[in-house]
């Protein structure tokens, strides 16, 4: 692992993994990029890089997960990976584009996503969100908003919350992770649609009841 006293260019190359930047910059531009200042910035840099590459190649996609919540204005610290939604039928074309952009793509045992790394951060390309396939309709509802300096399609606040709440089960039920997002973006979320999509299941229904008791939403 590179130490603080090492040559800065070598350290930057180690972080980027020799990635070819998906912009119009000349070859070798990745070697002069500044290192991200913290984990949040590193994840955002990876998100912008992959999002730019997908946009340039004309792929349909939408940013999801915690970085999407961040883009909508919920939260300030990112500690996990970046997630992108793509359709299963686009997987091969997306894989080819990422590899042409200098990224190594892996197929994990799970058959609902692809994995890659960018600037040392994990990036998931997801075909099923909360056990539901990524569809053209879902991507059509995405909104184009800036992720720092790069505009890209991001799951709507409603679809993002549905994906998080629908994932609750007897084996995974972390209300605390989703509550700040629901509070921060309650004005952007179609709560009637959330109830239609997942309110009948016991764990999502319990979360909605909690939001009612906390006066986040109306009963």
């Amino acid at each position: 692992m590179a130490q603080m006293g090492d040559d800065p260019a070598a350290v930057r190359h180690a972080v980027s993994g020799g990635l070819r930047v998906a912009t119009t910059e000349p070859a070798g531009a990745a070697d002069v990029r500044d290192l991200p200042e913290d984990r949040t910035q590193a994840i955002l840099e990876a998100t912008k890089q992959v999002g730019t590459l997908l946009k340039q190649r004309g792929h349909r996609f939408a940013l999801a997960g915690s970085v999407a919540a961040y883009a909508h204005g919920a939260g300030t610290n990112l500690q996990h990976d970046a997630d992108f939604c793509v359709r299963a039928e686009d997987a091969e074309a997306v894989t080819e584009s990422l590899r042409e952009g200098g990224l190594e793509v892996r197929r994990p045992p799970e058959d609902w996503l692809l994995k890659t790394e960018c600037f040392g951060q994990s990036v998931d390309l997801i075909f099923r969100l909360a056990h539901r396939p990524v569809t053209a309709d879902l991507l059509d509802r995405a909104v184009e908003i800036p992720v720092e300096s790069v505009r890209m399609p991001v799951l709507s606040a409603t679809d993002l919350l549905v994906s998080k709440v629908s994932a609750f089960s007897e084996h995974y039920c972390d209300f605390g992770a989703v509550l700040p997002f629901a509070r921060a973006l309650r004005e952007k979320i179609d709560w009637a649609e959330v109830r239609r999509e997942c309110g009948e299941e016991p764990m999502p229904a319990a979360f909605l009841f909690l939001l009612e008791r906390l006066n986040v939403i109306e009963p």
Side-chain angles (χ1 to χ4, degrees):
M1 176 111 181
Q3 301 299 316
M4 292 296 291
D6 290 342
D7 176 64
V11 176
R12 284 191 289 270
H13 185 78
V15 172
S16 69
L19 177 68
R20 297 195 300 275
V21 178
T23 68
T24 56
E25 296 174 4
D31 292 335
V32 297
R33 292 174 65 89
D34 292 332
L35 282 171
E37 296 179 358
D38 54 31
R39 182 70 184 279
T40 292
Q41 193 59 42
I43 293 172
L44 290 173
E45 289 297 324
T47 300
K48 293 189 294 182
Q49 176 68 33
V50 173
T52 297
L53 204 161
L54 293 175
K55 283 174 60 179
Q56 287 182 339
R57 303 303 172 91
H59 295 298
R60 300 201 63 194
F61 72 94
L63 183 64
S66 60
V67 188
Y70 177 96
H72 277 293
T76 56
N77 295 314
L78 302 174
Q79 298 297 325
H80 302 293
D81 55 8
D83 297 321
F84 290 86
C85 289
V86 297
R87 297 180 303 173
E89 54 264 39
D90 297 331
E92 292 300 327
V94 167
T95 297
E96 182 178 354
S97 292
L98 293 177
R99 286 174 175 163
E100 289 176 354
L103 297 174
E104 178 184 352
V105 180
R106 305 187 308 279
R107 289 184 173 275
E110 300 87 355
D111 63 356
W112 49 271
L113 81 166
L114 300 171
K115 285 184 171 290
T116 187
E117 285 190 1
C118 182
F119 295 122
Q121 306 303 312
S122 179
V123 179
D124 291 348
L125 288 303
I126 299 170
F127 315 140
R128 290 205 305 271
L129 200 59
H131 314 296
R132 302 177 184 183
V134 173
T135 64
D137 287 343
L138 178 72
L139 299 181
D140 285 343
R141 293 193 297 271
V143 293
E144 186 172 294
I145 55 177
V147 179
E148 300 259 292
S149 58
V150 176
R151 293 184 68 87
M152 68 180 72
V154 178
L155 282 185
S156 72
T158 299
D159 284 326
L160 188 55
L161 186 73
V162 167
S163 71
K164 291 177 176 294
V165 174
S166 296
F168 290 151
S169 69
E170 293 181 0
H171 302 289
Y172 169 79
C173 197
D174 187 359
F175 288 179
V178 183
L179 180 57
F181 168 69
R183 273 180 163 153
L185 300 183
R186 58 184 173 184
E187 299 299 328
K188 291 185 175 183
I189 294 169
D190 183 341
W191 292 103
E193 180 64 20
V194 173
R195 292 183 188 278
R196 282 194 295 270
E197 287 291 327
C198 52
E200 295 300 320
E201 295 296 323
M203 295 306 175
F207 180 71
L208 293 174
F209 176 71
L210 175 64
L211 294 182
E212 292 174 4
R213 292 298 302 271
L214 292 175
N215 295 319
V216 175
I217 61 175
E218 294 294 329

